[in-house]
Amino acid sequence: MKWRLIGPEKHDGFTNLALEEACIESVGAGVAQPTIRFYEWRNSAVVLGYFQKIHDEIDVNACRKHNIDMIRRITGGGAMYLDTHGEITFSVISPEKMLPGINESYKEVCGWLIKGLQNLGLSSEFRPVNDVTLGGKKISGSAMTRRHGAVMVHGTLLYDVDIEKMFTFLTPSGKKLSDKEIKSVNDSVTCIKRHIDIKKHELIDVIINAFMHGKEYIKKEWTGKELEHAAELVKNKYTKEEWIFRR
Amino acid sequence: MKDIASKKVPKGKLIKVSVDYKEKINKIEITGDFFLHPEEALEKLEADLTGINAAETSSFIKNKIDMILEKYSIEIIGFTSQDLADVIKEAIIKGEHK
């Protein structure tokens, strides 16, 4: 089946996640092609996993003060801080039969990312359940949902990370991390800029090529219906306090 | 009584449980960075765990969790039913000792 490639594109975080949800439904219903999408964040945001308690993970006051969007996604996993220029984000949305099995799907999609990094001379590894590591440190994390007959794996690749800034807004265990704890996180994650000097748009091109390698695809845009559905989801779900603060 | 317990599963995810109980579990909330498919079924798991006698063993709770997982075809990733049962039991024991 021919894939649809969307992006790279840039939206606010609410729209970014709403577009994914709209796409899952259209792909699941068979009215849109399986889709690989690359996107960035117009505003910096913290994104919570579906099952996380907001006050355990995020300094809500700090986010409000610094105008950081607080967003809850429909997939599990951990909270992330997504900077306007620090990360590359991707999603792969296909009928379930194209990506069967949860662990297998993570391995498959992470494998495309690993190939891309390999093309840059970086030797990374898949670390189950949902991470890619470089030199033993996390450089990418993914999450998945399977619904409406479709599967979505979405994830981030750290391009240029500022750990101290990240933990101004993230408060794992409901508290501010100490300098020692921040150093420990700093020692367990890495980003592309720590390894090679590459412009972000060049990196995105390399990763897109690795994801699309060997696939028949066409570069397209969202359908009118998907855009309409996403706008409705932004308005009635993603920006609503009862969704964001549901746990 | 209400208490909270959590566990970072080795090579797995964090699960945190808040249990409100008297003789029986009245309300339970499970949060963390784990994966559970389908996601919306977490509320069903939480609802079906209410009513369990607070004095039940961790092994009884594990069996109950397994039954609920099967009933709703829930797949959990990053923790096991035993991990969850242990954390629920730990929250209840902590509450009793306060």
Side-chain angles (χ1 to χ4, degrees):
Chain A
M1 201 184 278
K2 204 180 249 187
W3 290 81
R4 169 175 67 163
L5 170 64
I6 290 184
E9 58 175 4
K10 197 179 248 191
H11 300 279
D12 66 81
F14 304 105
T15 305
N16 272 334
L17 296 194
L19 282 166
E20 287 182 339
E21 189 170 342
C23 184
I24 293 169
E25 287 197 31
S26 58
V27 169
V31 296
Q33 289 164 261
T35 300
I36 293 178
R37 173 202 183 205
F38 289 86
Y39 58 104
E40 295 179 82
W41 302 70
R42 186 162 288 148
N43 309 327
S44 295
V46 284
V47 180
L48 276 171
Y50 182 86
F51 307 110
Q52 291 186 297
K53 202 175 179 77
I54 189 163
H55 291 292
D56 284 351
E57 307 295 336
I58 288 178
D59 184 334
V60 171
N61 290 331
C63 289
R64 283 184 174 143
K65 188 175 162 196
H66 294 273
N67 201 25
I68 303 295
D69 290 338
M70 291 179 281
I71 307 174
R72 186 181 292 277
R73 59 181 192 262
I74 56 170
T75 54
M80 307 174 301
Y81 168 68
L82 291 156
D83 196 87
T84 45
H85 53 260
E87 285 83 23
I88 291 174
T89 31
F90 58 84
S91 40
V92 177
I93 300 162
S94 79
E96 270 203 276
K97 60 178 187 297
M98 287 177 74
L99 282 171
I102 293 170
N103 293 321
E104 296 80 358
S105 301
Y106 279 126
K107 202 172 173 186
E108 174 75 15
V109 174
C110 289
W112 303 343
L113 186 66
I114 289 167
K115 277 256 172 63
L117 297 179
Q118 207 170 45
N119 293 343
L120 293 166
L122 300 171
S123 175
S124 60
E125 285 178 352
F126 174 59
R127 182 173 67 190
V129 177
N130 54 328
D131 293 335
V132 173
T133 61
L134 183 59
K137 298 178 179 190
K138 179 170 172 171
I139 194 160
S140 167
S142 304
M144 181 187 316
T145 186
R146 308 178 83 87
R147 56 181 75 201
H148 309 302
V151 52
M152 172 180 75
V153 180
H154 60 180
T156 63
L157 171 65
L158 297 176
Y159 170 68
D160 186 10
V161 71
D162 180 344
I163 297 288
E164 242 175 86
K165 192 173 175 190
M166 185 180 278
F167 287 99
T168 307
F169 308 113
L170 298 182
T171 54
S173 316
K175 60 180 176 57
K176 285 275 177 212
L177 292 192
S178 65
D179 290 348
K180 195 178 162 193
E181 285 167 321
I182 288 176
K183 188 184 175 305
S184 156
V185 177
N186 211 10
D187 290 344
S188 66
V189 300
T190 189
C191 62
I192 295 294
K193 287 269 269 185
R194 288 187 192 168
H195 297 266
I196 51 169
D197 184 22
I198 186 170
K199 297 247 181 332
K200 195 178 182 189
H201 68 90
E202 293 167 346
L203 173 65
I204 293 174
D205 285 347
V206 172
I207 300 300
I208 290 177
N209 285 337
F211 270 60
M212 306 321 292
H213 180 75
K215 295 181 185 70
E216 239 193 296
Y217 73 94
I218 182 161
K219 194 163 181 341
K220 282 175 99 169
E221 299 299 327
W222 299 109
T223 64
K225 280 206 168 154
E226 285 170 327
L227 291 170
E228 207 176 292
H229 188 191
E232 183 261 322
L233 285 166
V234 168
K235 189 178 167 204
N236 297 321
K237 178 175 179 176
Y238 285 98
T239 53
K240 290 278 183 201
E241 293 233 325
E242 58 260 42
W243 169 254
I244 301 164
F245 287 81
R246 69 197 301 270
R247 279 179 187 272
Chain B
M1 280 180 282
K2 186 177 177 181
D3 224 309
I4 292 168
S6 63
K7 178 180 184 179
K8 166 72 180 76
V9 178
K11 292 195 173 176
K13 303 294 180 184
L14 175 81
I15 43 172
K16 187 170 179 182
V17 172
S18 165
V19 188
D20 189 338
Y21 67 97
K22 269 192 173 174
E23 285 82 25
K24 291 181 186 301
I25 293 176
N26 297 322
K27 194 178 175 214
I28 190 159
E29 186 182 52
I30 305 161
T31 57
D33 63 357
F34 53 85
F35 295 101
L36 181 146
H37 301 271
E39 289 81 3
E40 287 79 7
L42 181 69
E43 279 85 358
K44 293 178 183 167
L45 173 63
E46 289 172 336
D48 282 17
L49 284 170
T50 59
I52 293 179
N53 195 323
E56 289 292 0
T57 62
S58 167
S59 135
F60 177 92
I61 300 170
K62 178 207 176 284
N63 289 338
K64 176 79 181 171
I65 294 167
D66 285 336
M67 281 165 54
I68 301 167
L69 298 183
E70 199 181 330
K71 180 178 169 191
Y72 298 113
S73 304
I74 298 172
E75 199 165 343
I76 52 176
I77 294 178
F79 68 101
T80 64
S81 54
Q82 186 66 62
D83 293 322
L84 180 56
D86 290 346
V87 180
I88 293 170
K89 195 65 202 170
E90 192 191 327
I92 292 170
I93 290 169
K94 268 167 82 177
E96 280 168 356
H97 288 180
K98 276 185 179 168

